[in-house]
Amino acid sequence: MSDKFDVIVIGAGPAGYVAAIRAAQLGLKTACVDAFVGKDGKQALGGTCLNVGCIPSKALLDSSRQFHNLTHNFAVHGISADNPRIDVATFVGRKDKIVKQFTGGVSQLFKANKITPFFGTGKLLKGNSVEVTAPDGSKQTISATNVILASGSVPIELPFAKFDGKNIVDNAGALDLTEVPKRLGVIGAGVIGLELGSVWKRLGADVTILEALPDFLSVADADVAKIAAREFAKQGLTIKLGAKLTKAEIKKNEVELTYEDKDGAHQLTVDKLLVAVGRRAYTAGLLADDTGVKLDERGRIVVDEHNHTGVDGVWAIGDAVRGPMLAHKGSEEGVAVAEWIAGKAGHINYDTIPWVIYTEPEIAWAGKTEKELKDAGIPYKVGTFPFAAIGRAVAMNEAVGQVKMLAHAETDRLLGVHMVGPGVSELIAEAVVTMEFKGSAEDLARIVHAHPTLSEAVHEAALSVDKRAIHKGN
């Protein structure tokens, strides 16, 4: 079967499905090819993010937080409950319902925008045709004027700790454990390792995280990382830095680990092992040999500043290209590419993409870290403000963390904002807007912030840049 479209998108994750919707909104005849299979065996649009990533992990994080509050934090409010327990089947089942709601929502959006979905894997052929291989092995070819490659990413598997879906799992497996493991090992203290480690720790697991790098959260600002590490230690998360896993053996339904650090080799036995050492671009089988599309040394699709591959009418977005592997980054690339295809002015500012880690406390940042500014020789000023001095945070019994603001020493232009504390996943948006409009710390300092709110920490940090915070010594 042959069919002709204006745009074919390969991949229906946050980059792909958003690109397809925006292209359709712009009047382009659009198709989207995706092979993700839901628990019911049917096509489940939304990619890793909606199915086994962002959305389900946040569902479990919220449920586990409720349980942890009940068992650890509610007493200070005068709230007590006898013998609380967690039903893991209901816990995971709630997550599954939320996933189905959102993947079904994408399907409805496709129908509303008259996007044609194809169930199967897509392979780009020369001449902007796409070979679609259905789950039953049958093939068909469709073609378009423009093809957007949005194939996403997959977990990196260690050769000596291969996923078996039972004892050694990836992020998807860690979302579907049938019971709380007594001992959970996590390889990698990045976003996935910290979030899922927190989920199962709150429910009673003894969690040990092994991180090969010597510094904790080296991608974040050092001050924020230091505060977060201290709080995680208080929560009972054991994080071993400079600890490189060298061996993992399954014996009698346990996983025996060998890791090395500066003191030599060590052993650790766990019931479940989550390997979360990062993700790699999923480009295997995506390209026929003669398409002309190039891959870099890490298997990512090579693109220019407009996400064009250099092959006429072929674009690439999301985790499969350079830049941070973040759902919102991929979505904005999808919008921009659809608009470029339609002859409009797409826009992405990679310097203001926010990062968020949904642990307790939350961690969020945008722009440059203090180290990056020092290394680049950029003169800067620093302002900080603790949540311990924010009335709303104290009333919530969540007065941990701070807001740190970095502004240019001469122009006062906001260069970076780094937060750790309650609700910072939402607060970071104010910093992003300010930086996007090339605003200054003074701009934030002059804006009235409601009282009592968590956002006052942003206001006071901005005041602190010029040593005039009201509610702390400067």
Side-chain angles (χ1 to χ4, degrees):
M1 173 183 153
S2 178
D3 204 350
K4 179 74 174 181
F5 294 89
D6 296 317
V7 176
I8 296 172
V9 183
I10 299 180
Y17 87 72
V18 169
I21 290 172
R22 184 63 184 130
Q25 287 176 344
L26 292 167
L28 301 170
K29 184 181 179 184
T30 305
C32 186
V33 181
D34 194 79
F36 206 103
V37 180
K39 286 190 171 183
D40 58 3
K42 299 178 181 178
Q43 184 179 34
L45 302 171
T48 293
C49 177
L50 267 63
N51 284 282
V52 292
C54 316
I55 301 304
S57 65
K58 303 311 161 288
L60 294 192
L61 278 162
D62 189 71
S63 292
S64 65
R65 182 173 186 263
Q66 305 296 342
F67 183 71
H68 184 267
N69 284 340
L70 179 61
T71 55
H72 291 79
N73 297 336
F74 280 174
V76 73
H77 298 283
I79 301 170
S80 61
D82 293 332
N83 202 24
R85 64 185 184 87
I86 185 81
D87 183 272
V88 175
T90 303
F91 172 74
V92 173
R94 173 182 178 269
K95 176 263 298 182
D96 290 341
K97 289 178 183 177
I98 292 171
V99 167
K100 192 167 185 179
Q101 174 185 339
F102 277 89
T103 57
V106 176
S107 181
Q108 290 301 313
L109 288 170
F110 272 26
K111 290 179 181 177
N113 288 281
K114 297 181 172 58
I115 298 166
T116 304
F118 288 85
F119 189 12
T121 56
K123 183 176 188 178
L124 179 67
L125 307 178
K126 186 177 181 180
N128 296 3
S129 291
V130 174
E131 180 183 78
V132 181
T133 303
D136 63 6
S138 61
K139 299 179 185 294
Q140 61 178 306
T141 300
I142 55 178
S143 61
T145 307
N146 291 275
V147 177
I148 303 174
L149 305 173
S151 52
S153 62
V154 292
I156 294 173
E157 185 175 46
L158 298 174
F160 44 84
K162 289 188 174 295
F163 304 129
D164 68 355
K166 181 182 177 184
N167 298 100
I168 302 177
V169 299
D170 60 8
N171 61 289
L175 294 169
D176 279 332
L177 298 180
T178 57
E179 60 184 7
V180 180
K182 184 178 180 181
R183 300 161 299 179
L184 174 66
V186 179
I187 309 304
V191 176
I192 295 171
L194 290 172
E195 290 186 355
L196 292 180
S198 293
V199 165
W200 295 105
K201 173 60 184 175
R202 292 171 186 170
L203 301 188
D206 181 7
V207 179
T208 301
I209 302 176
L210 304 180
E211 171 55 57
L213 294 176
D215 298 317
F216 178 68
L217 273 185
S218 57
V219 294
D221 187 86
D223 289 339
V224 162
K226 183 178 179 181
I227 294 171
R230 182 185 68 212
E231 293 305 314
F232 295 150
K234 288 181 181 178
Q235 294 168 17
L237 275 176
T238 301
I239 303 174
K240 297 181 181 293
L241 301 175
K244 184 178 180 181
L245 181 70
T246 57
K247 190 176 182 181
E249 289 185 299
I250 300 173
K251 294 182 179 180
K252 296 182 180 179
N253 215 32
E254 295 179 330
V255 188
E256 295 186 359
L257 309 179
T258 302
Y259 67 93
E260 294 179 353
D261 61 16
K262 60 182 176 59
D263 297 320
H266 308 269
Q267 271 68 48
L268 175 69
T269 301
V270 297
D271 301 294
K272 302 287 182 183
L273 179 67
L274 164 61
V275 178
V277 295
R279 299 178 67 85
R280 58 178 174 81
Y282 180 42
T283 52
L286 177 65
L287 307 169
D289 295 336
D290 58 354
T291 62
V293 176
K294 294 180 173 59
L295 302 178
D296 67 12
E297 70 282 355
R298 294 170 59 182
R300 301 174 301 185
I301 301 166
V302 177
V303 294
D304 64 14
E305 67 275 16
H306 292 104
N307 286 75
H308 193 261
T309 65
V311 176
D312 189 35
V314 180
W315 314 71
I317 58 178
D319 286 3
V321 303
R322 80 286 181 264
M325 289 184 174
L326 299 170
H328 43 283
K329 172 260 195 185
S331 293
E332 293 308 316
E333 286 178 331
V335 169
V337 166
E339 292 178 347
W340 284 323
I341 288 172
K344 296 184 178 296
H347 168 77
I348 309 163
N349 185 354
Y350 290 97
D351 292 331
T352 59
I353 294 174
W355 291 67
V356 179
I357 303 176
Y358 297 87
T359 46
E360 188 81 10
E362 292 184 340
I363 305 165
W365 69 92
K368 301 296 184 183
T369 65
E370 188 169 356
K371 182 179 185 303
E372 288 172 335
L373 293 177
K374 283 182 180 178
D375 291 346
I378 298 172
Y380 65 92
K381 303 177 288 184
V382 182
T384 62
F385 197 82
F387 281 101
I390 295 296
R392 181 72 189 280
V394 174
M396 293 166 58
N397 197 38
E398 295 183 39
V400 167
Q402 70 171 19
V403 174
K404 177 178 179 179
M405 201 164 287
L406 303 167
H408 197 285
E410 298 165 1
T411 67
D412 197 43
R413 180 174 172 180
L414 199 60
L415 301 175
V417 179
H418 307 270
M419 307 176 176
V420 55
V424 299
S425 59
E426 303 292 342
L427 296 181
I428 196 63
E430 182 177 16
V432 172
V433 169
T434 303
M435 287 189 285
E436 185 66 31
F437 284 94
K438 298 178 172 56
S440 65
E442 179 74 7
D443 290 326
L444 282 175
R446 293 289 178 185
I447 294 172
V448 178
H449 289 67
H451 173 78
T453 63
L454 298 175
S455 70
E456 289 178 284
V458 178
H459 184 221
E460 292 270 12
L463 288 165
S464 177
V465 168
D466 287 316
K467 303 187 183 309
R468 54 195 179 95
I470 301 299
H471 293 96
K472 77 159 190 170
N474 290 294

Coordinates of all heavy atoms in Angstrom, one line a residue, residues 296-368:
D296 N 26.1 10.5 14.8 CA 27.4 10.9 15.4 C 27.9 9.7 16.1 O 27.4 8.5 16.1 CB 27.2 12.1 16.3 CG 26.4 11.8 17.5 OD1 26.0 10.7 17.8 OD2 26.0 12.8 18.2
E297 N 29.0 9.9 16.9 CA 29.7 8.8 17.5 C 28.9 8.2 18.7 O 29.2 7.0 19.1 CB 31.1 9.3 18.1 CG 31.0 10.2 19.3 CD 30.6 11.7 18.9 OE1 30.5 11.9 17.6 OE2 30.5 12.5 19.8
R298 N 27.9 8.8 19.1 CA 27.0 8.3 20.1 C 25.7 7.8 19.6 O 24.8 7.4 20.3 CB 26.7 9.4 21.2 CG 28.0 9.8 21.9 CD 27.7 11.1 22.8 NE 26.7 10.9 23.8 CZ 26.3 11.8 24.6 NH1 26.8 13.0 24.6 NH2 25.3 11.6 25.5
G299 N 25.6 7.6 18.3 CA 24.4 7.1 17.6 C 23.3 8.0 17.5 O 22.1 7.7 17.2
R300 N 23.5 9.3 17.8 CA 22.5 10.4 17.6 C 22.4 10.9 16.2 O 23.4 10.9 15.5 CB 22.7 11.5 18.6 CG 22.8 11.1 20.0 CD 23.2 12.3 20.9 NE 24.5 12.8 20.6 CZ 25.1 13.8 21.2 NH1 24.6 14.3 22.3 NH2 26.3 14.2 20.9
I301 N 21.2 11.3 15.8 CA 21.1 11.9 14.4 C 21.7 13.2 14.4 O 21.4 14.1 15.2 CB 19.6 11.9 14.1 CG1 18.9 10.5 14.1 CG2 19.4 12.5 12.7 CD1 17.4 10.5 14.1
V302 N 22.5 13.5 13.4 CA 23.2 14.8 13.2 C 22.2 15.8 12.6 O 21.6 15.5 11.6 CB 24.4 14.6 12.3 CG1 25.1 16.0 12.1 CG2 25.4 13.7 13.0
V303 N 22.1 16.9 13.3 CA 21.2 18.0 12.8 C 21.8 19.3 12.9 O 22.8 19.5 13.7 CB 19.8 18.0 13.6 CG1 19.0 16.7 13.3 CG2 20.1 18.2 15.1
D304 N 21.3 20.3 12.2 CA 21.8 21.7 12.3 C 21.0 22.4 13.4 O 20.2 21.8 14.1 CB 21.8 22.4 11.0 CG 20.4 22.6 10.4 OD1 19.4 22.4 11.1 OD2 20.2 22.9 9.2
E305 N 21.2 23.8 13.4 CA 20.5 24.5 14.5 C 19.0 24.6 14.3 O 18.2 24.9 15.2 CB 21.0 26.0 14.5 CG 20.7 26.8 13.3 CD 21.7 26.6 12.2 OE1 22.5 25.6 12.2 OE2 21.7 27.5 11.3
H306 N 18.5 24.1 13.1 CA 17.0 24.1 12.9 C 16.5 22.6 12.9 O 15.4 22.4 12.4 CB 16.7 24.8 11.5 CG 16.9 26.2 11.6 ND1 18.0 26.9 11.0 CD2 16.2 27.2 12.1 CE1 17.9 28.2 11.1 NE2 16.8 28.4 11.9
N307 N 17.3 21.7 13.4 CA 17.0 20.3 13.5 C 16.8 19.7 12.1 O 16.0 18.7 12.0 CB 15.7 20.1 14.4 CG 16.0 20.3 15.8 OD1 16.1 21.5 16.3 ND2 16.0 19.3 16.6
H308 N 17.5 20.2 11.1 CA 17.4 19.6 9.8 C 18.6 18.7 9.6 O 19.7 19.0 10.1 CB 17.4 20.7 8.7 CG 17.1 20.2 7.4 ND1 18.0 19.9 6.4 CD2 15.9 19.9 6.8 CE1 17.5 19.4 5.3 NE2 16.1 19.4 5.5
T309 N 18.4 17.5 9.0 CA 19.5 16.5 8.9 C 20.5 16.8 7.7 O 21.5 16.2 7.6 CB 18.9 15.1 8.7 OG1 18.2 15.1 7.4 CG2 17.9 14.8 9.8
G310 N 20.2 17.8 6.9 CA 21.0 18.0 5.7 C 20.4 17.3 4.5 O 20.9 17.5 3.3
V311 N 19.5 16.3 4.7 CA 18.8 15.6 3.6 C 17.5 16.4 3.4 O 16.7 16.5 4.3 CB 18.6 14.2 3.9 CG1 17.8 13.5 2.8 CG2 19.9 13.5 4.2
D312 N 17.2 16.7 2.2 CA 16.0 17.5 1.9 C 14.8 16.9 2.4 O 14.4 15.8 2.1 CB 15.9 17.7 0.3 CG 14.8 18.7 0.0 OD1 14.6 19.7 0.7 OD2 14.1 18.5 -1.0
G313 N 14.1 17.7 3.3 CA 12.8 17.2 3.8 C 12.9 16.3 5.0 O 11.9 15.7 5.4
V314 N 14.1 16.0 5.6 CA 14.2 15.1 6.7 C 14.7 15.9 7.9 O 15.8 16.5 7.9 CB 15.2 13.9 6.3 CG1 15.3 13.0 7.5 CG2 14.7 13.2 5.1
W315 N 14.0 15.8 9.0 CA 14.3 16.5 10.2 C 14.4 15.5 11.4 O 13.9 14.3 11.2 CB 13.2 17.5 10.5 CG 12.7 18.3 9.4 CD1 12.0 17.9 8.3 CD2 13.0 19.7 9.1 NE1 11.8 18.9 7.4 CE2 12.4 20.1 7.9 CE3 13.6 20.7 9.9 CZ2 12.4 21.3 7.4 CZ3 13.7 22.0 9.4 CH2 13.1 22.3 8.1
A316 N 14.9 15.9 12.5 CA 15.0 15.0 13.7 C 14.9 15.8 14.9 O 15.4 16.9 15.0 CB 16.3 14.2 13.6
I317 N 14.3 15.3 15.9 CA 14.0 16.0 17.2 C 14.1 15.0 18.4 O 14.1 13.8 18.3 CB 12.6 16.6 17.1 CG1 11.5 15.5 16.9 CG2 12.5 17.7 16.0 CD1 10.1 16.1 16.9
G318 N 14.1 15.6 19.6 CA 13.9 14.9 20.8 C 15.2 14.2 21.3 O 16.3 14.6 21.0
D319 N 15.0 13.0 21.9 CA 16.2 12.3 22.5 C 17.1 11.8 21.4 O 18.2 11.4 21.8 CB 15.7 11.1 23.4 CG 15.1 11.6 24.7 OD1 15.0 12.8 24.9 OD2 14.7 10.7 25.5
A320 N 16.6 11.7 20.2 CA 17.5 11.1 19.1 C 18.5 12.1 18.6 O 19.3 11.7 17.8 CB 16.6 10.6 18.0
V321 N 18.5 13.3 19.1 CA 19.4 14.3 18.6 C 20.2 14.9 19.8 O 19.9 14.6 20.9 CB 18.8 15.4 17.8 CG1 18.0 14.9 16.6 CG2 17.8 16.3 18.7
R322 N 21.1 15.9 19.5 CA 21.9 16.5 20.6 C 21.0 17.2 21.5 O 19.9 17.6 21.3 CB 23.0 17.4 19.9 CG 22.4 18.8 19.5 CD 21.6 18.7 18.3 NE 21.1 20.0 17.8 CZ 19.9 20.4 18.1 NH1 19.1 19.7 18.9 NH2 19.4 21.5 17.6
G323 N 21.7 17.5 22.7 CA 20.9 18.3 23.7 C 20.4 17.4 24.8 O 20.5 16.2 24.7
P324 N 19.8 18.0 25.8 CA 19.4 17.2 27.0 C 18.2 16.3 26.6 O 17.3 16.7 25.8 CB 18.9 18.3 28.0 CG 18.7 19.5 27.2 CD 19.6 19.5 26.0
M325 N 18.1 15.1 27.2 CA 17.0 14.2 27.0 C 15.9 14.6 27.9 O 15.7 13.9 28.9 CB 17.5 12.8 27.2 CG 18.4 12.3 26.1 SD 18.8 10.6 26.3 CE 19.8 10.2 24.7
L326 N 15.1 15.6 27.6 CA 14.0 16.1 28.4 C 12.8 16.1 27.5 O 12.8 16.6 26.3 CB 14.3 17.5 28.9 CG 15.6 17.6 29.8 CD1 15.9 19.0 30.1 CD2 15.3 16.8 31.1
A327 N 11.7 15.7 28.0 CA 10.4 15.7 27.3 C 10.0 17.0 26.7 O 9.7 17.2 25.6 CB 9.3 15.1 28.1
H328 N 10.2 18.1 27.6 CA 9.7 19.4 27.1 C 10.7 20.0 26.1 O 10.2 20.7 25.2 CB 9.6 20.3 28.3 CG 10.7 20.3 29.3 ND1 10.8 19.3 30.3 CD2 11.7 21.1 29.6 CE1 11.8 19.4 31.0 NE2 12.4 20.5 30.6
K329 N 11.9 19.6 26.1 CA 12.8 20.0 25.1 C 12.4 19.4 23.7 O 12.3 20.1 22.7 CB 14.3 19.6 25.4 CG 15.3 19.8 24.3 CD 15.6 18.5 23.6 CE 16.9 18.6 22.8 NZ 17.1 17.3 22.0
G330 N 12.1 18.1 23.7 CA 11.6 17.4 22.5 C 10.3 18.0 22.0 O 10.2 18.2 20.8
S331 N 9.4 18.3 22.9 CA 8.1 18.9 22.5 C 8.3 20.2 21.8 O 7.7 20.5 20.7 CB 7.2 19.1 23.7 OG 6.8 17.8 24.2
E332 N 9.2 21.1 22.3 CA 9.4 22.4 21.7 C 10.1 22.3 20.4 O 9.8 23.0 19.4 CB 10.1 23.3 22.7 CG 9.3 23.7 23.9 CD 7.9 24.2 23.6 OE1 7.8 25.1 22.6 OE2 7.0 23.8 24.2
E333 N 11.0 21.3 20.3 CA 11.6 21.0 19.0 C 10.6 20.6 17.9 O 10.6 21.0 16.8 CB 12.7 20.0 19.1 CG 14.0 20.5 19.8 CD 15.0 19.4 19.9 OE1 14.7 18.2 20.0 OE2 16.2 19.8 20.0
G334 N 9.6 19.8 18.4 CA 8.6 19.3 17.5 C 7.7 20.4 17.0 O 7.4 20.5 15.8
V335 N 7.4 21.4 17.9 CA 6.6 22.5 17.5 C 7.4 23.4 16.5 O 6.9 23.8 15.4 CB 6.2 23.4 18.7 CG1 5.6 24.7 18.3 CG2 5.2 22.6 19.6
A336 N 8.7 23.6 16.8 CA 9.5 24.5 16.0 C 9.7 23.9 14.6 O 9.5 24.6 13.6 CB 10.8 24.7 16.6
V337 N 9.9 22.6 14.5 CA 10.1 21.9 13.2 C 8.8 22.0 12.4 O 8.9 22.3 11.2 CB 10.6 20.5 13.4 CG1 10.5 19.7 12.0 CG2 12.1 20.5 13.8
A338 N 7.7 21.7 13.0 CA 6.4 21.8 12.3 C 6.2 23.2 11.7 O 5.8 23.4 10.6 CB 5.3 21.4 13.2
E339 N 6.6 24.2 12.5 CA 6.4 25.6 12.0 C 7.4 25.9 10.9 O 7.1 26.6 10.0 CB 6.5 26.5 13.2 CG 5.3 26.3 14.1 CD 5.4 27.2 15.4 OE1 6.4 27.8 15.7 OE2 4.3 27.3 16.1
W340 N 8.6 25.4 11.0 CA 9.6 25.7 9.9 C 9.1 25.0 8.6 O 9.3 25.6 7.6 CB 11.0 25.1 10.4 CG 11.7 26.0 11.3 CD1 11.7 27.4 11.4 CD2 12.5 25.6 12.4 NE1 12.5 27.8 12.4 CE2 13.0 26.7 13.1 CE3 12.9 24.3 12.9 CZ2 13.8 26.7 14.2 CZ3 13.7 24.2 14.0 CH2 14.2 25.4 14.7
I341 N 8.6 23.8 8.7 CA 8.1 23.1 7.6 C 7.0 23.9 6.9 O 6.9 24.0 5.7 CB 7.6 21.7 7.9 CG1 8.8 20.8 8.2 CG2 6.7 21.1 6.8 CD1 8.4 19.4 8.8
A342 N 6.2 24.5 7.7 CA 5.0 25.3 7.2 C 5.4 26.7 6.8 O 4.6 27.6 6.5 CB 3.9 25.4 8.3
G343 N 6.7 27.0 6.9 CA 7.2 28.3 6.4 C 7.1 29.4 7.5 O 7.1 30.6 7.2
K344 N 6.9 29.0 8.7 CA 6.8 30.0 9.8 C 8.1 30.1 10.6 O 9.0 29.4 10.3 CB 5.6 29.6 10.7 CG 4.3 29.6 10.0 CD 3.1 29.4 11.0 CE 1.8 29.4 10.2 NZ 1.5 30.8 9.7
A345 N 8.1 30.9 11.6 CA 9.3 31.2 12.4 C 9.3 30.4 13.7 O 8.8 30.8 14.7 CB 9.5 32.7 12.7
G346 N 9.8 29.1 13.6 CA 9.9 28.3 14.8 C 11.1 28.9 15.7 O 12.0 29.6 15.2
H347 N 11.0 28.6 17.0 CA 12.0 29.1 17.9 C 12.3 28.1 19.1 O 11.3 27.6 19.7 CB 11.5 30.4 18.5 CG 12.4 30.9 19.7 ND1 13.6 31.5 19.5 CD2 12.1 30.9 21.0 CE1 14.1 31.8 20.7 NE2 13.2 31.5 21.6
I348 N 13.5 27.9 19.4 CA 13.9 27.2 20.6 C 15.1 27.9 21.2 O 16.1 28.2 20.5 CB 14.3 25.7 20.3 CG1 13.3 25.0 19.4 CG2 14.5 24.9 21.6 CD1 13.8 23.8 18.8
N349 N 15.1 28.2 22.5 CA 16.2 28.7 23.2 C 16.7 27.6 24.2 O 16.2 27.4 25.2 CB 15.8 30.0 24.0 CG 17.0 30.7 24.7 OD1 18.1 30.1 24.7 ND2 16.7 31.8 25.3
Y350 N 17.8 27.0 23.7 CA 18.4 25.9 24.5 C 19.0 26.4 25.8 O 19.3 25.6 26.7 CB 19.4 25.1 23.7 CG 18.8 24.3 22.6 CD1 18.7 24.8 21.3 CD2 18.2 23.1 22.8 CE1 18.1 24.1 20.3 CE2 17.6 22.4 21.8 CZ 17.6 22.9 20.5 OH 17.0 22.1 19.5
D351 N 19.3 27.7 25.9 CA 19.9 28.2 27.1 C 18.9 28.4 28.3 O 19.4 28.7 29.4 CB 20.5 29.6 26.8 CG 21.8 29.5 25.9 OD1 22.4 28.4 26.0 OD2 22.0 30.4 25.2
T352 N 17.6 28.3 28.0 CA 16.7 28.5 29.1 C 15.8 27.3 29.3 O 14.7 27.4 29.9 CB 15.8 29.7 28.8 OG1 15.1 29.5 27.5 CG2 16.6 31.0 28.7
I353 N 16.2 26.1 28.9 CA 15.4 24.9 29.2 C 15.5 24.5 30.6 O 16.6 24.3 31.2 CB 16.0 23.7 28.3 CG1 15.7 24.1 26.8 CG2 15.3 22.4 28.7 CD1 16.3 23.0 25.9
P354 N 14.4 24.4 31.3 CA 14.5 24.0 32.8 C 14.7 22.5 33.0 O 14.3 21.7 32.2 CB 13.1 24.4 33.3 CG 12.2 24.3 32.1 CD 13.0 24.7 30.9
W355 N 15.4 22.2 34.0 CA 15.6 20.8 34.5 C 14.9 20.7 35.8 O 14.9 21.6 36.7 CB 17.1 20.6 34.7 CG 17.9 20.5 33.5 CD1 18.2 21.6 32.7 CD2 18.6 19.4 33.0 NE1 19.1 21.1 31.7 CE2 19.3 19.8 31.8 CE3 18.7 18.0 33.3 CZ2 20.1 19.0 31.0 CZ3 19.5 17.2 32.6 CH2 20.2 17.6 31.4
V356 N 14.3 19.5 36.0 CA 13.6 19.2 37.3 C 13.8 17.8 37.7 O 13.8 16.9 36.9 CB 12.1 19.5 37.2 CG1 11.4 19.1 38.5 CG2 11.7 20.9 36.7
I357 N 14.1 17.6 39.0 CA 14.1 16.3 39.6 C 13.1 16.2 40.7 O 13.1 17.1 41.6 CB 15.5 16.0 40.2 CG1 16.6 16.1 39.1 CG2 15.6 14.6 40.8 CD1 18.0 15.9 39.6
Y358 N 12.1 15.3 40.6 CA 10.9 15.3 41.4 C 11.1 14.5 42.7 O 10.3 13.7 43.0 CB 9.7 14.8 40.6 CG 9.4 15.7 39.4 CD1 10.0 15.5 38.2 CD2 8.5 16.7 39.5 CE1 9.8 16.4 37.1 CE2 8.2 17.6 38.5 CZ 8.8 17.4 37.2 OH 8.6 18.2 36.2
T359 N 12.2 14.7 43.3 CA 12.4 14.0 44.6 C 11.8 14.9 45.7 O 11.1 15.8 45.5 CB 14.0 13.9 44.8 OG1 14.6 15.1 44.5 CG2 14.5 12.8 44.0
E360 N 12.1 14.5 46.9 CA 11.7 15.3 48.1 C 12.9 15.6 48.9 O 13.5 14.8 49.6 CB 10.7 14.5 48.9 CG 10.0 15.2 50.0 CD 8.8 16.0 49.5 OE1 8.4 15.9 48.4 OE2 8.3 16.8 50.3
P361 N 13.4 16.9 48.9 CA 12.9 18.0 48.2 C 13.1 18.0 46.7 O 13.9 17.2 46.2 CB 13.7 19.2 48.8 CG 15.0 18.6 49.1 CD 14.7 17.2 49.6
E362 N 12.3 18.8 46.0 CA 12.4 18.9 44.5 C 13.7 19.7 44.2 O 14.1 20.5 45.0 CB 11.2 19.5 43.9 CG 10.0 18.7 44.0 CD 8.8 19.4 43.2 OE1 8.8 20.6 43.0 OE2 7.8 18.6 42.9
I363 N 14.2 19.4 43.0 CA 15.4 20.1 42.5 C 15.1 20.7 41.2 O 14.6 20.0 40.3 CB 16.6 19.2 42.5 CG1 16.9 18.5 43.8 CG2 17.9 20.0 42.0 CD1 17.8 17.3 43.7
A364 N 15.4 21.9 40.9 CA 15.1 22.5 39.6 C 16.1 23.6 39.3 O 16.6 24.3 40.2 CB 13.7 23.1 39.6
W365 N 16.4 23.8 38.0 CA 17.3 24.8 37.6 C 17.2 25.2 36.1 O 16.6 24.4 35.4 CB 18.8 24.5 37.9 CG 19.4 23.4 37.1 CD1 20.1 23.5 35.9 CD2 19.4 22.0 37.4 NE1 20.5 22.3 35.5 CE2 20.1 21.3 36.3 CE3 18.8 21.2 38.4 CZ2 20.3 19.9 36.3 CZ3 19.0 19.8 38.3 CH2 19.7 19.2 37.3
A366 N 17.7 26.4 35.8 CA 17.7 26.8 34.4 C 18.8 27.8 34.3 O 19.2 28.5 35.2 CB 16.4 27.5 34.0
G367 N 19.5 27.8 33.1 CA 20.6 28.7 32.8 C 21.9 28.1 33.3 O 22.0 26.9 33.5
K368 N 22.9 29.0 33.6 CA 24.2 28.6 33.9 C 24.4 28.3 35.4 O 23.8 28.9 36.2 CB 25.2 29.7 33.5 CG 25.2 30.0 32.0 CD 25.6 28.9 31.2 CE 25.7 29.3 29.7 NZ 26.1 28.1 28.8

